[in-house]
């Protein structure tokens, strides 16, 4: 898979060279290129922003550099998917991560200021698939942090990136998981600062361990994300429990 990221802060994406995603890049599973949007400006000051039509605070990113960047990165006839990060975007979720993991080419546009001129998305959509995406209901200063999140979320789903693909199947939010949050996990020592590992996990009885883990996952999901519970697991009564 080829991933292109365009930003005025390309160094912000340096962490992608670390850890699992970095290994996937080194082994060629992912071909990552990070570009400086200012390389597509032509004035002495390498200007990428201007004042908003209609007034309002802040500046808006000019369409010309973005248009030229996309012309170069996505030649006519190329099958590519453009993600534009924006607080008003489609909520990013595991389903979209799985879709992106199957794409041959993804271009990620990281805006700054008050956003990118709306005509960039409109024009790009005449020749490629465009998704305006948000990673959550809070406001960031730009799209780079969101790009890091999204790239990690879909890269780890690419076959060969994660050492043990079985672990993907059990995760929260994964498409083939029943949408429960993960159960709590423990490792050695069995006793730590007066806190014991639940006995059942030391029993070696796999049936009981599986049942206990499912119960804990349902309990946690009911408490923290009841909307994810299948109807059969929902209860109406208010559960008064310590927030953990
Ligand atoms: N993904 C993601 C994000 C982003 C994100 C993504 C990309 C950019 C590019 C610029 N910014 C800054 C910015 C801040 C506030 C606003 C609101 N507007 C309201 C109307 O008046 C103008 C301003 C817009 C742009 C970005 C933020 N934030 N939160 C997410 N989950």
């Amino acid at each position: 898979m080829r991933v292109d990221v365009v930003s005025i802060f390309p160094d912000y994406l340096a962490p992608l060279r670390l850890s699992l995603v970095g290994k996937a890049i080194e082994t060629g599973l992912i071909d990552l290129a990070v570009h400086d949007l200012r390389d597509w400006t032509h004035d002495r000051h390498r200007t990428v922003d201007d004042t908003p039509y209609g007034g309002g605070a802040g500046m808006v990113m000019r369409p010309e550099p973005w248009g030229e960047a996309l012309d170069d990165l996505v030649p006519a006839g190329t099958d590519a998917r453009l993600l534009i990060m924006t607080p008003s975007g489609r909520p990013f979720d595991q389903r979209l991560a799985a879709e992106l993991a199957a794409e041959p080419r993804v271009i990620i546009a990281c805006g700054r200021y008050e956003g990118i001129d709306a005509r960039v998305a409109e024009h790009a959509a005449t020749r490629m698939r465009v998704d305006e995406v948000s990673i959550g209901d809070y406001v960031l200063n730009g799209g780079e942090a969101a790009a890091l999140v999204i790239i990690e979320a879909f890269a780890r789903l690419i076959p060969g990136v994660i050492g043990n693909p079985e672990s993907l199947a059990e995760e929260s939010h994964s498409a083939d998981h029943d949408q429960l949050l993960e159960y709590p996990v423990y490792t050695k020592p069995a006793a730590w600062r007066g806190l014991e590992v639940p006995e059942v996990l030391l029993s070696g009885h796999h049936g009981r361990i599986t049942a206990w883990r499912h119960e804990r996952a349902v309990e946690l999901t009911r408490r923290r994300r009841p909307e994810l519970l299948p109807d059969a697991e929902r209860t109406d009564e208010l559960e008064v429990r310590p927030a953990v």
Side-chain angles (χ1 to χ4, degrees):
M1 167 196 269
R2 162 82 183 220
V3 179
D4 289 278
V5 185
V6 183
S7 165
I8 59 171
F9 296 122
D11 291 347
Y12 204 112
L13 285 297
L16 289 175
R17 305 287 173 184
L18 305 173
S19 186
L20 280 176
V21 175
K23 199 174 295 180
I25 294 164
E26 278 170 27
T27 56
L29 276 173
I30 298 173
D31 178 11
L32 173 75
V34 181
H35 310 273
D36 185 340
L37 178 69
R38 295 186 194 278
D39 290 347
W40 284 280
T41 62
H42 307 291
D43 63 304
R44 190 156 61 92
H45 298 295
R46 310 185 83 201
T47 309
V48 292
D49 63 310
D50 206 333
T51 53
Y53 276 121
M59 303 292 273
V60 172
M61 298 195 94
R62 296 169 51 231
E64 299 95 328
W66 284 107
E68 290 184 30
L70 292 173
D71 289 349
D72 284 354
L73 295 175
V74 188
T78 308
D79 176 28
R81 191 158 182 180
L82 173 64
L83 299 185
I84 300 179
M85 307 290 97
T86 170
S88 57
R90 160 192 178 182
F92 178 72
D93 60 11
Q94 195 67 15
R95 184 180 307 277
L96 181 51
E99 282 179 30
L100 295 172
E103 292 287 347
R105 280 211 67 191
V106 174
I107 295 89
I108 301 179
C110 300
R112 279 274 155 170
Y113 304 100
E114 299 304 327
I116 302 172
D117 184 299
R119 291 168 292 182
V120 172
E122 186 178 347
H123 182 270
T126 63
R127 65 190 197 83
M128 67 188 88
R129 289 166 293 148
V130 179
D131 291 274
E132 295 188 73
V133 179
S134 166
I135 61 166
D137 294 336
Y138 39 81
V139 180
L140 303 169
N141 289 330
E144 288 80 7
L148 289 172
V149 166
I150 287 175
I151 291 170
E152 177 155 327
F154 72 69
R156 63 195 300 276
L157 300 180
I158 295 171
V161 173
I162 290 274
N164 172 15
E166 284 173 25
S167 61
L168 292 177
E170 283 196 348
E171 290 178 341
S172 298
H173 312 297
S174 65
D176 48 357
H177 191 280
D178 52 5
Q179 283 290 322
L180 296 177
L181 300 181
E182 272 108 358
Y183 47 79
V185 291
Y186 301 82
T187 186
K188 293 185 286 298
W192 176 73
R193 295 188 179 183
L195 300 171
E196 308 280 334
V197 170
E199 192 66 33
V200 65
L201 298 181
L202 308 178
S203 70
H205 193 297
H206 296 295
R208 289 192 196 136
I209 290 169
T210 301
W212 179 87
R213 284 176 166 171
H214 180 74
E215 288 158 16
R216 296 292 74 69
V218 168
E219 180 184 73
L220 200 56
T221 308
R222 179 174 291 129
R223 192 179 323 140
R224 293 185 180 160
R225 296 289 303 276
E227 76 280 6
L228 295 180
L229 280 175
D231 292 342
E233 300 281 9
R234 286 196 193 157
T235 57
D236 296 334
E237 69 267 12
L238 178 66
E239 293 190 40
V240 182
R241 290 171 178 253
V244 174

